[in-house]
Amino acid sequence: MKYAFPEDELRPLLCKPLTRNDSNPAHVELNDPLGNYSVTLIDTLSTLAILASSPSPSKDGRNRELQDFQDAIAALILLYGDGKKDRGGQGLRGRGFDVDSKVQVFETTIRGVGGLLSAHLFAIGELPIKGYDPTEQEKDGRWGIFWKNGIIYDGQLLRLALDLATRLLPAFSTPTGIPYPRVNLRRGIPFYENSPLNTDAEHGQCLVGEKGPADSTESCAAGAGSLVLEFTTLSRLTGDDRFERLAKRAFWAIWERRSRAGLIGSSIDPETGQWISPVTGIGAGIDSFFEYAFKSQILLSGISFDATNYSIDSPEAFGAAWQEVHASIKRHIYRGHSFHHPHYIQVDLHTGAMRAFWLDSLAAFYPGLLAFSGELEEAIEAHLVYSALWTRFSSLPERWSTATGNIEHGLTWWPGRPEFIESTWYIYRATKDPWYLHVAEMVMRDLKRRCWTRCGWAGLQDVRSGQQSDRMESFFLGETVKYLHLLYDEAHPLNHLDEPFVFSTEGHPLILPKSFRRKPQHTATPTKVNTTDVVAIPTIPSSVSQAVCPLPPPMLPLSISATAARQDIFHAASLVRLHLMPKIGVAESPILEFTNDHPSVSQPDLVSPTNYTYYPWTLPPELIPANATSSKLTSRNTFDLSFPTLPNMVMNAAVLQRSSEGILINSVSGLRLGMVREPTPRFPGQPVPDEFFRVYAVSNVALGRDEKVFLSESSINGFNPIDPHFSKIRDTEMLDLVLDLPINEKDLGKAVNADGTVEQSILQFASQLFTNAHSNDAKVDGSNLMSSLLRGLSDMKSLFSDSDLDSNASASASLSSSSSASASASSLPTSQSLPVIRSLLPAILPVGPGAAPLPNVPDSTGDLDLDWNSIYVTDTLCESPLPASVVRSHQVLVVKRGGCSFSDKLQNVPSFPPGASALQLVVVVSYSEQQDEPMGMRMGSGYAGGRDGRDDGFGEEGLVRPLLDKMQKTPAGMPRPHPLSMVMVGGGDETWEMLGRAKAVGVKRRYHFVSQGLKISNLFAL
């Protein structure tokens, strides 16, 4: 206030204000958050309110911090008015925030709008200030809360927040609902020519010659999707629903564009909705999207919403989105104990493959979010890395590489970010472990030693040398100081507030008044859901449990800190290379010359022994148990499988081809498969999980966890079938039924993507598909080349679906019919001119005394005719035997599961003489409610289900091996001389009807590869 107010920020080295750089619009690091509207004061209002609950001693008994809070509001009103339309709305600097400044929508929302809203909630008593009891009253014709400084508070901050947020609304005029990154607070968005606001010549906002140079449309997921808390609070307090509606629309527009891996990208184009960067993680550009997914569930809990828009308005929808995205992060971005110590890396947005090893300081928020959402163990693990990193650098560099142990790309600065302190506060509130108080003490001492200046607090330009930067960001007082204060003020009312309040990503407490929660106007489960919504409510994967508030970790006997006694505490120190740091002598500090012999400065403030593996350096030795032990570092068991270079073979682009599901290998000459040994997921009844190899790299191409590797048949011809390092084994549990299904023009339309394109993975093999189409002319209408080509597309797509059932589910869904299946295949259309599409249906083989091997028929591959073309579908086959004529004239029998045992169903099949036209295979169709996964019986290889792990109904997820508990018998009770082959499929009525429509059926056996006696889980033979 002394050196910079009313400007935006302070230059603490020169003791001067810091303002926008209007002469250089490209200086977005400065211009995006600074809008010439006193940003630091607005961002600090909630901090002043929090400090008011812990007033410093005063001889006259006054609460000077509360007075500072109210005086700051008075100064703001004097400059920008009271937000009204009359004369009081005019301030010394303008009417509201009518300034000619192009600012970032996200930064203005979280700092400006959020700061004003939070201060308003403190001012009216919805957020607590100890000893402050605001009461509205009327005096001299004025109604409001009367303060001692002469201000009659009647919602001035709320009206100013409405004014500022209204000036941001033009940015939401995009085709996708994702807001543009920037807006001019006075002129709107004349620099985005493609906005609907600027394409209407008659009613558009731009005048001739006003557009000026175009601005970049690139936005980030965090900036576009992290507006729900502030805008929902504003809408509920003012009754103007535009803000809540637009913020939620932007959030779900980002969400629906998540990748197949369930990941959110870092940068996106609001005009096209296309991701710009292929690399993602949990830090810069993405961070607060995850935060707002979870916190929106809390803020919205108990308030009314439109039940017909359940999928975008309900708190449950946001909670499910958090659960789903957390599961994707844990699967693809999280690196567990086998990587030295758990941490998070940067991965490919679409596949989850590793792309970079750096940690950024913004990602330090994530342990706090994990603790807040109930994932306490993961939070503690992640926080240890940042605690060790702070111990090493006495701050956090912008990026640090776990691979090299050095700062990444020269990003050496730390601008006073609060994320690490924020996480420390969240975990301390969840555990009450004194470890985190000593971490905060380390931070405070390092701040005093390295960042204190005569006029304020500086950031660090280089965390290694301690070089200061001449800028005090508004968030230092708005967040960093706030969380440090709350860590040590145990009695603060916010530390004990049992209400659904949240801190925004800028550290502003927000809550919706109790009056909004008295009479909720919805039920927990809506009776009607709007099926025309842009997105569907996220479904929590079956592998993710509902988060609960866990108990703090148990402490060892006679110990004080459970964290200090952890066996992996020094794993994080080893990852950060603390043991390699040189000893640092007594460091000079600018605080010395101003605080000589001052009681608040001690020797540890001036010396930080950051060379020690022991951390934080402020931790008293007595907090480490005398008998504490450190566990052995877990080694990552990797194995490289290298193939010899074959004569006359040259590595080229055609050797490796990428599809939507993985990598196709056309030649193994000179190839290297990098494999890692991993345990299979543990299920009930499996105390000791099996292990398998997973291919994580093909030569120098990294793979995601769910990507597959396909070997063409020609690439493995001539290999020794009993080579212990690489053997091809037939799967004894799973196979695929190959179906030729009739298809019409409506189904052809469904075979193409919604945007009229075909998947890239299929287009890559277009030349082969045209060959398939030409060879199919005898089977399909020769004049309909498109039908034939699409059939070839299906054939090729099926090749990439040996274990992943997405394509099968979509094809099956496209081909389903609303009409019920006929009791006999003879009633189906028989015209050979109908085009067909070939699809795969996963099937599981039975076990038990009555199980019989499959008929000795070749695999149905390529474009060959399928073996069986007479199909009979019936019900459960439990009441009476089939007519003898059926089994003599039909090769495939389809029955429904249930009603009786599998053995009883087979007993109702009459005896018959074997023959090519007689019964060859019995297919049992299972229903979702019957796929119950008994203990120890979960079968199938590979990852089943969609991108979020949901079972599509056709998937292997939930299929169990049928038990034929007795030898097969005839209806007369005699042993069957020729046992029947049987398989079971999923999908219920849809599959049953599809099999009834099939023109032909074949089988395609599955094969997998084994190395050193372990299965290679994601390597498949075509």
Side-chain angles (χ1 to χ4, degrees), residues 848-888:
L854 286 173
N856 187 20
V857 294
D859 282 353
S860 300
T861 59
D863 198 51
L864 299 176
D865 289 338
L866 301 184
D867 295 287
W868 307 314
N869 53 28
S870 56
I871 306 159
Y872 188 93
V873 295
T874 186
D875 204 3
T876 57
L877 196 58
C878 292
E879 300 298 328
S880 59
L882 284 173
S885 59
V886 171
V887 295
R888 293 192 182 100

Side-chain angles (χ1 to χ4, degrees), residues 337-358:
H337 288 277
S338 60
F339 292 90
H340 223 98
H341 184 83
H343 59 280
Y344 303 88
I345 61 170
Q346 314 304 309
V347 302
D348 186 276
L349 168 64
H350 304 285
T351 67
M354 181 276 300
R355 289 292 178 263
F357 297 103
W358 46 262

Side-chain angles (χ1 to χ4, degrees), residues 427-501:
I427 301 178
Y428 176 70
R429 297 312 307 170
T431 63
K432 298 297 181 69
D433 192 322
W435 159 279
Y436 300 99
L437 295 179
H438 290 290
V439 170
E441 180 190 3
M442 172 180 67
V443 171
M444 286 195 299
R445 292 190 183 277
D446 285 338
L447 288 178
K448 291 170 69 175
R449 177 172 59 89
R450 309 188 84 193
C451 301
W452 185 91
T453 73
R454 182 168 55 90
C455 305
W457 299 85
L460 297 176
Q461 188 62 34
D462 192 326
V463 298
R464 299 165 300 183
S465 65
Q467 177 188 353
Q468 293 180 330
S469 61
D470 194 17
R471 181 180 182 184
M472 187 177 76
E473 297 254 16
S474 71
F475 52 66
F476 181 81
L477 296 179
E479 295 184 79
T480 307
V481 171
K482 181 182 301 172
Y483 287 119
L484 280 171
H485 177 81
L486 289 174
L487 266 162
Y488 288 102
D489 188 357
E490 177 61 33
H492 197 282
L494 283 183
N495 283 332
H496 302 277
L497 182 60
D498 189 16
E499 297 287 347
F501 84 99

Side-chain angles (χ1 to χ4, degrees), residues 85 92 359 952 955:
K85 302 297 183 183
L92 296 179
L359 309 176
D952 307 41

Side-chain angles (χ1 to χ4, degrees), residues 113-114 116-118 120-121 126-127 158 161 227-240 243-245 247-248 292 295 299-300 303 500-502 504 508-513 516-517:
V113 177
L116 291 167
L117 289 173
S118 183
H120 167 73
L121 292 168
E126 290 292 343
L127 288 171
L158 178 60
L227 310 171
V228 177
L229 297 183
E230 290 86 357
F231 275 25
T232 297
T233 301
L234 180 62
S235 283
R236 298 291 173 146
L237 292 176
T238 62
D240 188 340
F243 305 99
E244 179 178 354
R245 178 166 40 84
K248 288 180 176 179
Y292 275 41
K295 290 182 177 180
L299 184 72
L300 297 172
I303 67 172
F501 84 99
V502 295
S504 73
H508 296 303
L510 295 174
I511 192 172
L512 294 178
F516 290 108
R517 293 185 167 84

